[in-house]
Amino acid sequence: MILINCPYCGERDQSEFSNGGEAHVARPENSDSLNDKDWGQYVFYRDNPKGIFYERWVHSHGCRKWFNAVRNTATDEILKIYKVDEKTPKIDSFTNTLKTPSGEPKVGSGNFTVKK
Amino acid sequence: MSALDNKKSSYIKKNKKVSFTFDGKKYYGYKGDTIASALLRNNVRLIARSFKYHRPRGIYTCGIEEPNAIVQILNEHNEPNARATVKQIYEGMKVDSQNRWPSLNLDIGSINNLLSPMFSAGFYYKTFMGPKGFWKKIYEPIIRRTAGLGKPPKEFRSKSIHQNHNVDIVIVGAGLSGLIAARKLIDTEYDVLLLEQDSFLGGVLKNSNKVEQINNQEVNKWIKETERLIKISTNIKILKNSLVTSYNFTNHLIALEDKFAGKAIDTSKSELTLHKIRTTHTILANGHIERFISFRNNDLPGVMLASSFEKYIHRYGVIPETNPVIFTNNSTTVTLLKSLVDLGHKPVAYVDARDKNKIGKKLLTYLKKNNIPFYFNAEIEGCDGNKKVETISIRKNKNKIIKVKSSMLCVSGGINPDIHLFTQSKGLVKWDDKLITFKPDVPFQNTITIGSVSGNYNYEKTHDEINNKLSFLKPKNIEMKIKINDTNNFNIKELWETRHEKKSNWSKSFIDLHNDVTTKDLKQAVVEGFDRIEHLKRFTTNSMGTDQGKISSINSLGIVSKILKKEISEVGTTTYRPPYAPLSFSAIAGRNTYEFYDPQRKTPIHNWHINNKAIFEDVGQWKRPWYFKEHDSETMHQAVQRESKQTRQTAGILDGSTLGKIEIKGKDALEFMNLMYTNPFTKMKPMTSRYALMLGEDGMIKDDGIVCKFNDKHFIATTTSGGAPKVLADMEEYLQTEWPHLQVYVNSITEQFTTFNISGPKSRDIMSKVFTEVDFSNENFPFMTFKVFNYKGTEARIMRASFTGELGYEIYITPNHGLELWKRIFHHGNVFDLVPYGTETMHLLRAEKGYVVIGQETDGTVTPIDLNFNWMIGKKKKDFIGKRSLTRSDTAREDRKQLVGIVPLDKSEFIEEGQHVVERERLPNPIKTPVEYLGHVSSSYHSPNLNHCIAMAMIKGGNKLMGKKLFISSSYGTKNIAVEVVSPVFIDPENKRLTS
Ligand SMILES: [Zn+2]
């Protein structure tokens, strides 16, 4: 189980938090003028990359505050945590540690997904 | 020869005799004995029947890796699948063998062995395919009886606790390397936890005499001294009987402590402790596990791993057989040989697969000197005997078979670093050509491996290795002079399987003893195309038993690599997943069982409900009265019909305290409410209320409730009983992430107010009597308004609203006055025949009125338009959650499922909830092509007020089908029930009762 450093409470067990999916998906202000496709893009589509991912978390069994995190979805490492009103860190400030396209090394599987 | 005591036992308390039973027969052992060591002491060799073929099996190992000797402990709530090689005996313990019928000695299931062609690789997938219906009636019951493990526990109440640790360093394993590491960390700045799976420290030091002396003293002395120093240290804690089962991400480890190892369970205390450990560094010193070699009948009772045999001698002081045959491909067996000779015994033969120069002169001289029959470049072809090893066939010089007699065969196929935990932690392993095994390579977390788990089999060098690897921690320098008993030369020769001579159905060469997988199965699986190791594992069930193939999984890689003509490193390993060893569900559950599994929420009126024969229903965590029994023999149907009828005739009251309540306050509360709900609140007058809907961004109904507007800066919204936490969380989410500029505070006040819903024609009369200071006249207290007033010094609120269609009021009062007020209402209400009703009547009454229930009529795919709730949508509002989605091409479709009412044409018929709405009178039998269906019945009740069945349904284009004849399927047969589509409002469509 991973540890998450709530910017308001400090490091806590993952079980205290809920994941809120991709971060920085702004709710369109002018939804009336959007066509179905663009609106649908906002409602139904989210990225799900293997590697660096910007996502939202809420300390649901704690201070109930929302915040953002940058996580490597392949390794579960949380690379950065920042408040909702803080500046979005640039993606090139993180090194993506995956080497092969799928992230799988040649040998075996499962536990071996992480190849440094 | 039979078993003998080793007088120099390091662990067993020979002065303490313990009696126990195995399959009903009484035996004696000593305190400290495992079931296995005690049975060996008593010359019991046949312990179990195998999983598939019911072959006789004995004790194969001396530890957690045991594939055969798993037993049922009858006096521990029938605990199944206990490993006899781990579980310690105590006075009065009752042990049974598993998977045999009628007895272990005579087992009828062993016929499976003769039918074995049917049970070959993938048999689960191939054999039980058809015909239809056979699975449930024939295959499954047979498989359940004959294949398998123990019987499930009986009358079992888990007693285990969880304990959390936050430390700097965890050391897994208190063997030689673990103890050295711990000793170096004594009185350092680190908090250290030392975990040992056994009841004592020492590991390999106690399992053999491979290490002779440490710092010129006996190893036992050194262990004792080390344990004493650790115990008086301020920074190291030892946990014995604690097996690390999981090594998770972020250095999070799970260890299971058996609080009653070697003792009868005291049922008033917790049996197991699940330790949840957070650490900065993990030192894995968890050692190695010996592996076997496949040969003909390598499963016969009497075949045992060589190091396990050695362990029985040194640790338990029992020599299972004084004259065994030893079969090896490496040098680890030398100490076993010497131990036997030192005790005055002699192996019948020492069979070494290696050639002379790999074996070394020293050993050759030793064997000669002691006159031990010795075969090099040789192997075991197989063994034979009736339920035990009797004859052992040695193949010498490639072809010559020599037969010797012995009841035991000690096998060593090499040793594997126990990489399970290391790979769980996502560390990478690599193949070592010299050691012929996988060993840890790159750690993924702060993991350090020391000792044999790191691939260092040389005990003399253990201290140097630890000094080197722990130097970054700046530990203490200690003196360590390790003297070993024999060569440090491992010198293994690759050998996975020997060649068979005989061929009969009974002759088998096993690769997985636990799951009865043979080496032939591996070959067949590859032939059938399962040449990837993960596929092959599942197809053959190799290494999928409770032992997880601890003594054989690397062997299977060796055999498969030969078939595929690949390097083993290319074949790779299968995934090592937690837990390392079986972990009982009761340990995982901890205290969260039965009434502690989930909190129960009760309203302040709960005890009154009990006294008035309420039958309760779970709504989320709430206990709500479902219905009230007037007398003990009243059925639910009778009670609900009575409650419903009386409410419409006089008055009824519902304890609605569970209703979610959220208070919304702040400068921008109005704007926020307009965004959250579909309804427009701007023009709404203060002190009025409104039925309101909340959607998701997809336009689907998420929740409903009544919104009370005090003023533009203050609202109270109710939610469904189960939906309150989610609605509050959604409000918070939008406030924090989308509209942080809005100054609004939301707060759950569900528990702050006890709520009663009183309704029926007499409710005004009753209310006027109870609250004499309030004017309940229609002019002064019209429908959908509310009043706040002082009730005994607290703020109370009464709202005129109704979920039944009758004249009704909702009372919100502080819980402290709840019960008293409830009783007062009855005091005044009894004259008017006031009846308490539960949730079932509430559902019936609302259905008569055509009111929907979120989660019953809706299922996350229903828009307000589908329910004809267009009037609730603030179309003029610029925005609200889900607004844009109401005009999506999909939500705007005319043939969406829409809410309608349904009544059977024959009024005596009853429609079942959940049934399909179709156009044909009869369903074909059997149904060959899909029958087009229009929708489903979402609610159905027998209306006591109309005296026939009324139902609500969601059907395609329902609004256009009014008056049409359709059919509803039933669970009774292929004949459908003819119905008419009607308006869902069955009672008082003009709302006269509601508003008068
Ligand atoms: Zn927090």
Side-chain angles (χ1 to χ4, degrees):
Chain A
M1 204 179 318
I2 63 175
L3 287 172
I4 296 173
N5 196 356
C6 172
Y8 305 94
C9 309
E11 209 163 53
R12 295 286 192 281
D13 214 288
Q14 181 196 335
S15 57
E16 291 186 15
F17 297 85
S18 309
N19 185 289
E22 188 180 359
H24 306 302
V25 183
R27 187 170 184 272
E29 297 231 326
N30 53 340
S31 56
D32 277 348
S33 61
L34 293 183
N35 61 29
D36 271 10
K37 198 179 162 217
D38 290 343
W39 174 251
Q41 198 68 34
Y42 162 70
V43 177
F44 299 112
Y45 289 82
R46 294 293 182 271
D47 280 346
N48 182 24
K50 182 167 191 172
I52 309 281
F53 189 45
Y54 290 70
E55 62 188 4
R56 308 186 310 155
W57 285 88
V58 58
H59 195 182
S60 37
H61 298 282
C63 63
R64 301 211 319 237
K65 282 281 196 185
W66 285 83
F67 56 89
N68 294 322
V70 183
R71 182 172 62 104
N72 185 337
T73 57
T75 63
D76 253 358
E77 284 167 297
I78 292 188
L79 305 166
K80 175 115 189 145
I81 279 178
Y82 53 104
K83 292 181 183 173
V84 173
D85 55 359
E86 279 176 336
K87 242 178 120 184
T88 311
K90 287 209 168 69
I91 189 135
D92 50 15
S93 60
F94 307 105
T95 32
N96 202 336
T97 49
L98 303 176
K99 280 182 180 166
T100 61
S102 66
E104 310 283 338
K106 277 178 270 176
V107 178
S109 60
N111 283 317
F112 300 92
T113 44
V114 186
K115 178 103 175 170
K116 285 223 171 186
Chain B
M1 275 291 281
S2 57
L4 266 188
D5 278 356
N6 171 15
K7 302 282 186 290
K8 273 187 0 188
S9 154
S10 62
Y11 171 60
I12 297 297
K13 291 188 174 129
K14 289 278 170 62
N15 53 344
K16 285 192 182 161
K17 258 194 166 183
V18 172
S19 79
F20 68 103
T21 66
F22 178 64
D23 279 347
K25 205 177 158 201
K26 195 169 182 177
Y27 295 98
Y28 290 95
Y30 297 112
K31 182 151 179 55
D33 260 331
T34 60
I35 298 167
S37 69
L39 288 174
L40 286 171
R41 218 179 271 291
N42 287 283
N43 289 309
V44 177
R45 294 277 172 80
L46 178 62
I47 309 288
R49 287 283 174 167
S50 72
F51 186 70
K52 252 181 358 197
Y53 302 129
H54 289 241
R55 285 167 70 104
R57 292 284 166 83
I59 296 157
Y60 217 87
T61 71
C62 186
I64 196 98
E65 67 270 36
E66 178 61 36
N68 283 345
I70 54 176
V71 293
Q72 190 125 23
I73 316 293
L74 301 182
N75 57 321
E76 293 182 12
H77 26 246
N78 210 25
E79 181 74 20
N81 308 329
R83 283 169 297 272
T85 51
V86 174
K87 185 85 187 170
Q88 291 174 38
I89 55 166
Y90 50 82
E91 189 60 41
M93 188 187 209
K94 288 196 176 84
V95 183
D96 254 14
S97 57
Q98 296 185 163
N99 200 30
R100 81 300 192 251
W101 187 81
S103 77
L104 190 55
N105 212 28
L106 175 79
D107 180 61
I108 285 173
S110 59
I111 188 133
N112 286 359
N113 190 68
L114 298 175
L115 303 171
S116 59
M118 186 182 125
F119 289 97
S120 63
F123 88 104
Y124 283 111
Y125 308 107
K126 292 171 183 165
T127 314
F128 306 109
M129 295 302 287
K132 200 180 156 224
F134 261 48
W135 175 257
K136 201 132 198 76
K137 291 203 176 97
I138 295 173
Y139 297 142
E140 194 184 353
I142 290 177
I143 290 175
R144 284 217 183 275
R145 182 142 43 85
T146 60
L149 304 163
K151 298 183 185 86
K154 280 187 279 195
E155 291 160 26
F156 180 53
R157 253 185 113 84
S158 135
K159 280 223 178 60
S160 75
I161 53 168
H162 290 182
Q163 194 176 336
N164 289 290
H165 302 264
N166 268 295
V167 294
D168 300 312
I169 298 170
V170 163
I171 304 171
V172 181
L176 174 65
S177 52
L179 286 176
I180 296 175
R183 224 173 139 154
K184 289 175 73 67
L185 291 166
I186 286 174
D187 291 336
T188 55
E189 65 200 275
Y190 309 106
D191 267 342
V192 183
L193 197 58
L194 176 62
L195 298 159
E196 171 53 51
Q197 63 174 357
D198 286 325
S199 335
F200 52 86
L201 310 183
V204 72
L205 300 175
K206 293 209 171 176
N207 294 341
S208 67
N209 59 1
K210 284 182 163 52
V211 175
E212 221 172 5
Q213 284 185 335
I214 298 174
N215 297 341
N216 301 318
Q217 52 181 335
E218 242 186 77
V219 289
N220 272 327
K221 262 192 174 162
W222 182 82
I223 296 168
K224 258 187 197 155
E225 180 194 271
T226 307
E227 183 166 2
R228 187 181 60 82
L229 291 173
I230 294 172
K231 274 187 176 158
I232 58 170
S233 78
T234 52
N235 66 321
I236 304 183
K237 191 182 171 184
I238 305 173
L239 281 178
K240 292 180 188 171
N241 301 309
S242 297
L243 178 72
V244 176
T245 63
S246 316
Y247 187 162
N248 302 320
F249 192 52
T250 332
N251 263 327
H252 179 254
L253 285 84
I254 303 281
L256 183 67
E257 182 185 1
D258 183 355
K259 306 283 271 186
F260 283 93
K263 279 179 278 183
I265 289 171
D266 176 349
T267 49
S268 68
K269 294 191 174 134
S270 66
E271 292 162 30
L272 303 162
T273 302
L274 192 83
H275 296 278
K276 301 172 172 178
I277 306 155
R278 287 272 185 204
T279 174
T280 311
H281 302 280
T282 304
I283 299 173
L284 290 179
N286 55 325
H288 59 269
I289 287 179
E290 190 166 35
R291 64 194 186 211
F292 74 166
I293 296 171
S294 300
F295 47 82
R296 185 172 55 79
N297 299 337
N298 59 333
D299 65 325
L300 263 186
V303 181
M304 186 187 279
L305 291 183
S307 67
S308 298
F309 194 95
E310 200 176 0
K311 222 161 142 180
Y312 282 113
I313 297 175
H314 290 279
R315 194 157 139 174
Y316 298 105
V318 50
I319 306 160
E321 158 69 69
T322 49
N323 307 100
V325 170
I326 299 174
F327 175 32
T328 188
N329 65 346
N330 64 79
S331 300
T332 58
T333 40
V334 175
T335 48
L336 166 61
L337 176 70
K338 285 187 168 176
S339 295
L340 276 173
V341 172
D342 288 349
L343 289 163
H345 310 299
K346 211 161 85 169
V348 172
Y350 191 84
V351 182
D352 201 320
R354 302 172 294 175
D355 58 36
K356 266 185 169 171
N357 43 16
K358 256 205 160 178
I359 293 166
K361 258 200 185 127
K362 222 168 132 193
L363 177 60
L364 293 172
T365 323
Y366 183 85
L367 288 160
K368 217 175 234 172
K369 198 181 92 193
N370 287 288
N371 229 350
I372 295 162
F374 168 59
Y375 306 87
F376 58 89
N377 262 333
E379 61 187 26
I380 299 295
E381 181 273 322
C383 51
D384 298 277
N386 181 18
K387 294 187 201 119
K388 59 180 186 287
V389 172
E390 286 165 351
T391 318
I392 296 160
S393 302
I394 303 165
R395 182 186 287 113
K396 204 188 143 189
N397 300 334
K398 298 225 161 121
N399 277 318
K400 197 174 166 204
I401 299 285
I402 296 158
K403 293 197 172 176
V404 295
K405 297 238 174 233
S406 176
S407 76
M408 285 199 80
L409 172 54
C410 309
V411 182
S412 175
I415 56 180
N416 299 319
D418 197 356
I419 55 172
H420 205 303
L421 292 175
F422 180 78
T423 50
Q424 276 186 32
S425 80
K426 293 190 180 182
L428 290 175
V429 297
K430 73 173 174 203
W431 183 255
D432 189 311
D433 277 329
K434 272 210 177 110
L435 304 177
I436 314 197
T437 189
F438 281 106
K439 69 177 189 186
D441 187 15
V442 189
F444 178 69
Q445 305 185 35
N446 295 337
T447 314
I448 304 136
T449 56
I450 55 172
S452 55
V453 69
S454 73
N456 175 13
Y457 299 166
N458 184 345
Y459 301 115
E460 282 173 318
K461 285 193 180 155
T462 304
H463 185 225
D464 292 342
E465 183 203 0
I466 295 169
N467 268 341
N468 190 11
K469 288 184 174 170
L470 298 191
S471 62
F472 76 101
L473 293 167
K474 299 195 174 57
K476 294 205 306 200
N477 283 321
I478 55 166
E479 193 212 344
M480 281 301 294
K481 258 191 3 220
I482 299 168
K483 189 177 171 230
I484 59 166
N485 197 334
D486 190 72
T487 171
N488 55 31
N489 212 345
F490 181 51
N491 261 351
I492 187 174
K493 178 192 171 182
E494 183 170 345
L495 176 63
W496 309 112
E497 186 182 15
T498 68
R499 189 157 46 88
H500 299 192
E501 292 292 326
K502 266 194 216 162
K503 272 185 187 167
S504 86
N505 255 351
W506 215 88
S507 293
K508 289 190 196 307
S509 161
F510 285 94
I511 186 65
D512 184 317
L513 295 165
H514 188 289
N515 271 359
D516 270 356
V517 182
T518 62
T519 53
K520 200 175 138 197
D521 290 333
L522 296 186
K523 285 157 206 162
Q524 190 194 331
V526 172
V527 168
E528 294 191 25
F530 294 89
D531 56 356
R532 292 300 161 117
I533 197 69
E534 293 278 12
H535 294 160
L536 184 129
K537 168 180 165 176
R538 274 132 194 111
F539 189 65
T540 59
T541 71
N542 178 44
S543 76
M544 283 170 72
T546 59
D547 66 329
Q548 295 278 292
K550 285 190 169 51
I551 65 166
S552 62
S553 66
I554 303 291
N555 301 51
S556 59
L557 303 180
I559 291 172
V560 171
S561 74
K562 291 263 180 307
I563 303 169
L564 296 174
K565 297 191 176 67
K566 276 184 178 175
E567 296 293 321
I568 294 177
S569 57
E570 283 179 288
V571 174
T573 74
T574 53
T575 308
Y576 292 84
R577 291 189 180 85
Y580 169 76
L583 180 60
S584 101
F585 279 109
S586 82
I588 300 169
R591 289 270 168 95
N592 305 319
T593 56
Y594 301 94
E595 60 269 37
F596 301 114
Y597 177 69
D598 205 22
Q600 285 184 3
R601 301 174 81 184
K602 295 167 183 169
T603 78
I605 322 299
H606 192 78
N607 286 336
W608 188 94
H609 297 324
I610 292 173
N611 293 336
N612 285 272
K613 297 194 173 75
I615 305 297
F616 290 91
E617 179 189 28
D618 289 339
V619 180
Q621 292 168 335
W622 287 105
K623 293 276 169 203
R624 297 195 72 176
W626 196 9
Y627 57 94
F628 292 84
K629 283 190 165 197
E630 193 167 54
H631 48 84
D632 286 339
S633 60
E634 190 178 42
T635 65
M636 175 172 170
H637 179 74
Q638 288 165 345
V640 171
Q641 297 286 308
R642 171 181 54 76
E643 290 170 10
S644 305
K645 207 162 181 178
Q646 199 173 333
T647 301
R648 291 215 192 280
Q649 273 169 7
T650 56
I653 187 163
L654 173 83
D655 178 5
S657 306
T658 63
L659 216 64
K661 300 153 207 114
I662 296 170
E663 188 157 39
I664 301 104
K665 271 184 171 175
K667 185 165 74 68
D668 303 312
L670 175 66
E671 188 181 346
F672 176 67
M673 292 299 281
N674 275 332
L675 283 165
M676 289 306 296
Y677 286 91
T678 60
N679 314 57
F681 295 106
T682 310
K683 286 184 183 163
M684 188 174 161
K685 285 192 189 119
M687 307 308 280
T688 63
S689 44
R690 222 165 247 189
Y691 178 56
L693 279 183
M694 194 178 260
L695 309 184
E697 290 287 20
D698 57 359
M700 304 303 158
I701 296 174
K702 228 158 48 173
D703 205 74
D704 67 353
I706 291 180
V707 171
C708 289
K709 178 178 176 177
F710 289 78
N711 54 54
D712 286 353
K713 291 173 188 163
H714 186 194
F715 294 81
I716 288 179
T718 63
T719 71
T720 54
S721 290
K726 176 86 178 97
V727 171
L728 184 73
D730 284 352
M731 286 182 169
E732 275 286 356
E733 179 183 343
Y734 275 96
L735 273 175
Q736 287 182 39
T737 64
E738 295 300 338
W739 309 310
H741 60 281
L742 294 183
Q743 265 195 34
V744 178
Y745 305 92
V746 294
N747 189 22
S748 164
I749 53 166
T750 301
E751 287 88 351
Q752 267 79 335
F753 291 97
T754 291
T755 309
F756 309 143
N757 308 53
I758 182 166
S759 63
K762 297 287 179 203
S763 55
R764 180 177 285 134
D765 298 337
I766 299 169
M767 290 295 277
S768 307
K769 289 248 153 94
V770 178
F771 303 100
T772 44
E773 69 279 25
V774 182
D775 180 359
F776 286 97
S777 69
N778 203 25
E779 305 74 59
N780 268 312
F781 205 157
F783 184 54
M784 291 313 248
T785 61
F786 65 95
K787 289 182 194 295
V788 177
F789 62 100
N790 188 301
Y791 183 80
K792 298 193 173 176
T794 62
E795 193 181 279
R797 186 157 49 98
I798 297 177
M799 172 164 58
R800 182 151 167 216
S802 167
F803 196 44
T804 61
E806 299 295 326
L807 167 70
Y809 301 91
E810 284 188 9
I811 305 157
Y812 295 82
I813 186 110
T814 175
N816 292 343
H817 293 314
L819 184 59
E820 168 224 315
L821 177 61
W822 178 270
K823 285 180 179 167
R824 216 147 78 84
I825 293 170
F826 270 96
H827 173 75
H828 294 290
N830 282 338
V831 195
F832 297 98
D833 281 337
L834 176 68
V835 64
Y837 67 90
T839 50
E840 191 62 21
T841 293
M842 172 186 90
H843 278 120
L844 191 159
L845 293 173
R846 65 88 200 172
E848 285 182 335
K849 178 65 182 170
Y851 290 159
V852 298
V853 166
I854 302 305
Q856 181 134 4
E857 270 62 48
T858 73
D859 57 1
T861 68
V862 177
T863 72
I865 303 160
D866 300 338
L867 298 182
N868 298 314
F869 276 164
N870 306 48
W871 57 275
M872 290 178 70
I873 301 169
K875 296 194 183 65
K876 285 187 190 144
K877 288 201 287 184
K878 184 174 174 285
D879 196 8
F880 59 81
I881 294 168
K883 180 173 189 242
R884 173 62 185 83
S885 281
L886 296 179
T887 53
R888 283 192 290 123
S889 56
D890 183 56
T891 47
R893 267 189 301 124
E894 287 203 347
D895 63 341
R896 286 181 65 84
K897 283 197 200 168
Q898 288 153 347
L899 178 74
V900 295
I902 297 270
V903 284
L905 291 181
D906 175 354
K907 293 284 188 291
S908 68
E909 288 201 275
F910 188 76
I911 298 164
E912 296 161 281
E913 266 175 24
Q915 288 292 352
H916 287 180
V917 183
V918 292
E919 277 177 315
R920 31 170 132 180
E921 189 166 3
R922 268 186 186 281
L923 291 178
N925 186 23
I927 296 176
K928 286 199 173 133
T929 50
V931 176
E932 198 190 339
Y933 104 118
L934 297 170
H936 66 277
V937 177
S938 57
S939 297
S940 177
Y941 299 90
H942 180 267
S943 161
N945 299 296
L946 299 168
N947 207 20
H948 62 77
C949 174
I950 55 158
M952 289 157 102
M954 297 295 299
I955 59 176
K956 281 178 197 163
N959 286 340
K960 289 188 176 160
L961 297 175
M962 286 298 147
K964 200 171 168 277
K965 181 179 170 186
L966 290 175
F967 296 90
I968 310 285
S969 60
S970 86
S971 57
Y972 309 112
T974 54
K975 191 176 180 302
N976 299 326
I977 298 165
V979 296
E980 187 190 351
V981 179
V982 295
S983 153
V985 185
F986 298 98
I987 275 182
D988 188 27
E990 308 86 25
N991 288 342
K992 273 189 187 151
R993 303 184 190 184
L994 216 52
T995 54
S996 61

